[in-house]
Amino acid sequence: MKVDIHTHLLPAKLPRFAERYGYGGFITLDHHAPCRARMLRDDGKFFREVESNCWDPVKRIEECDATGVHVQVLSTVPVMFSYWTKPEHGADLSRFLNDHVAGVVKEHPKRFAGLGTVPLQSPELAIRELERCVKELGLSGVQIGSHVNDWNLSDEKLFPFFEAASELGASIFVHPWDMMGEAKMQKYWLPWLVGMPAEVSLAMCSLIFGGVLERLPRLRFAFAHGGGSFPGTLGRIEHGFEARPDLVAVDNKVPPRDYLGRFWVDSLVHDADTLRFIVKLFGQDKVALGSDYPFPLGEDRPGTLIDSLTELSHDAREQLRWKNGLAWLGRAREDFAP
């Protein structure tokens, strides 16, 4: 069995949000060829080419069957977070996307679990939508960005949202977006190759140093891309904590290394030695299969890298393939049994 906690889904058709809200900046879909579409900003600027597996659940199931994936955890494409919009419009857009994800999950409950998106630019509206996602739509939690406009995840304005997620038992998947330094990284796909790993580390450090993990120990976070640059720079982060507590340990006195094993990361690192390292660092019960399906920086055959670690026991590989993902979701294998 394989459970893929990191996959993205869009509706086949997106409303003209610019016309609905009266200003631009939103994503549209141009179905310019059979089973293909261009994601465009509403000023016509090209964002990404996608295929029907981005919106067609039947196609996704066919491809999952071909690669041995039994369950995909669905979440929106991060460009749709739209934290820059007016809060009421972000809430409306979130409801549209979440209703779609919930509909796909309801149609195929044995193959998909769902994560919603929330308008975090307004924590009050985000809490309201989070509650709707969990209580009404039956979603397992939400996917959020690595920061929210000018707020890092340590910002006290966001704490009530995390508190609500903890009380609801909602899982939170943190995916990098709105990458730092993007203006200086216009060539070589650097926002995806350099900015995204840094964004994940930003999110982790913010939640640790801001004391969110300390104050909400039951909250279940999972981070994309194997934790980004955090694992490789943990020594520096820890040394900074010890050398300059006056700068680092101002909101939380607990060393960052103490939080290893208290959150999950996905397995999407594309390198066997790196996967070995993060399994050792975070624990073999805290690394879960994630593929970034159906995008080009993903793993074509989800779980191949995990299976390449032949020194791991069968039980350990089973943990990485599916058990850890279900533990993070708070779901049981029986929920997805045929």
Side-chain angles (χ1 to χ4, degrees):
M1 184 176 186
K2 295 179 185 176
V3 175
D4 187 345
I5 72 166
H6 181 177
T7 81
H8 300 294
L9 178 79
L10 280 177
K13 295 182 179 179
L14 292 174
R16 292 282 178 178
F17 291 114
E19 296 175 7
R20 180 185 292 191
Y21 304 141
Y23 54 93
F26 300 92
I27 292 292
T28 63
L29 275 179
D30 171 26
H31 290 266
H32 65 93
C35 302
R36 302 186 70 85
R38 298 187 188 97
M39 295 178 70
L40 305 171
R41 299 196 185 276
D42 48 24
D43 61 1
K45 186 177 179 181
F46 178 79
F47 175 70
R48 172 181 282 167
E49 179 92 8
V50 292
E51 299 180 7
S52 60
N53 54 7
C54 197
W55 62 79
D56 182 350
V58 174
K59 181 67 173 175
R60 294 174 79 99
I61 290 172
E62 287 177 3
E63 295 188 353
C64 282
D65 288 344
T67 56
V69 174
H70 190 78
V71 178
Q72 283 188 336
V73 181
L74 308 175
S75 56
T76 194
V77 181
V79 71
M80 303 301 292
F81 286 153
S82 304
Y83 297 147
W84 54 273
T85 64
K86 294 179 181 178
E88 63 271 26
H89 300 153
D92 182 66
L93 197 158
S94 295
R95 285 193 293 272
F96 170 77
L97 295 171
N98 296 338
D99 286 346
H100 172 254
V101 168
V104 172
V105 173
K106 185 176 182 180
E107 193 173 352
H108 305 280
K110 301 296 184 182
R111 303 306 302 268
F112 300 124
L115 301 176
T117 185
V118 290
L120 276 174
Q121 61 270 51
S122 167
E124 180 181 353
L125 293 179
I127 291 171
R128 199 175 303 169
E129 182 61 12
L130 170 69
E131 291 175 342
R132 193 180 79 92
C133 285
V134 174
K135 293 181 178 178
E136 297 180 24
L137 300 183
L139 301 182
S140 298
V142 292
Q143 176 190 228
I144 67 171
S146 42
H147 67 275
V148 182
N149 301 325
D150 292 333
W151 302 339
N152 287 327
L153 299 185
S154 56
D155 198 295
E156 279 299 314
K157 296 182 186 69
L158 294 172
F159 188 77
F161 169 79
F162 293 130
E163 199 170 33
S166 180
E167 290 172 1
L168 288 165
S171 306
I172 297 182
F173 186 61
V174 181
H175 194 293
W177 189 243
D178 189 20
M179 283 71 83
M180 63 180 80
E182 193 165 356
K184 293 184 177 179
M185 296 192 289
Q186 293 301 300
K187 293 181 70 177
Y188 314 124
W189 214 14
L190 293 182
W192 268 253
L193 304 184
V194 176
M196 279 194 167
E199 282 287 338
V200 179
S201 187
L202 169 69
M204 282 185 172
C205 287
S206 297
L207 292 168
I208 290 172
F209 294 140
V212 177
L213 296 177
E214 186 65 21
R215 288 184 282 173
L216 300 172
R218 293 183 303 163
L219 191 48
R220 299 194 305 276
F221 282 102
F223 296 86
H225 309 158
S229 60
F230 180 90
T233 57
L234 177 58
R236 180 179 178 86
I237 293 166
E238 185 176 39
H239 182 73
F241 177 88
E242 293 170 352
R244 292 301 303 269
D246 56 314
L247 298 178
V248 183
V250 292
D251 292 323
N252 183 16
K253 306 297 183 188
V254 180
R257 195 173 288 271
D258 285 17
Y259 293 94
L260 300 179
R262 291 173 59 174
F263 51 79
W264 287 259
V265 299
D266 74 18
S267 62
L268 189 62
V269 293
H270 300 290
D271 180 84
D273 284 339
T274 304
L275 183 57
R276 289 187 184 95
F277 176 59
I278 66 169
V279 169
K280 180 180 179 182
L281 187 70
F282 296 116
Q284 69 179 36
D285 62 337
K286 288 296 184 292
V287 180
L289 171 61
S291 76
D292 204 9
Y293 175 100
F295 296 137
L297 265 177
E299 186 177 33
D300 288 339
R301 294 188 66 84
T304 300
L305 192 63
I306 291 172
D307 291 341
S308 75
L309 301 192
T310 55
E311 71 273 23
L312 292 181
S313 67
H314 172 77
D315 287 345
R317 285 202 295 275
E318 288 289 274
Q319 283 183 285
L320 270 63
R321 286 191 192 111
W322 63 273
K323 290 182 179 179
N324 296 341
L326 292 186
W328 167 65
L329 283 176
R331 302 288 299 273
R333 182 173 189 172
E334 292 71 26
D335 295 341
F336 302 99

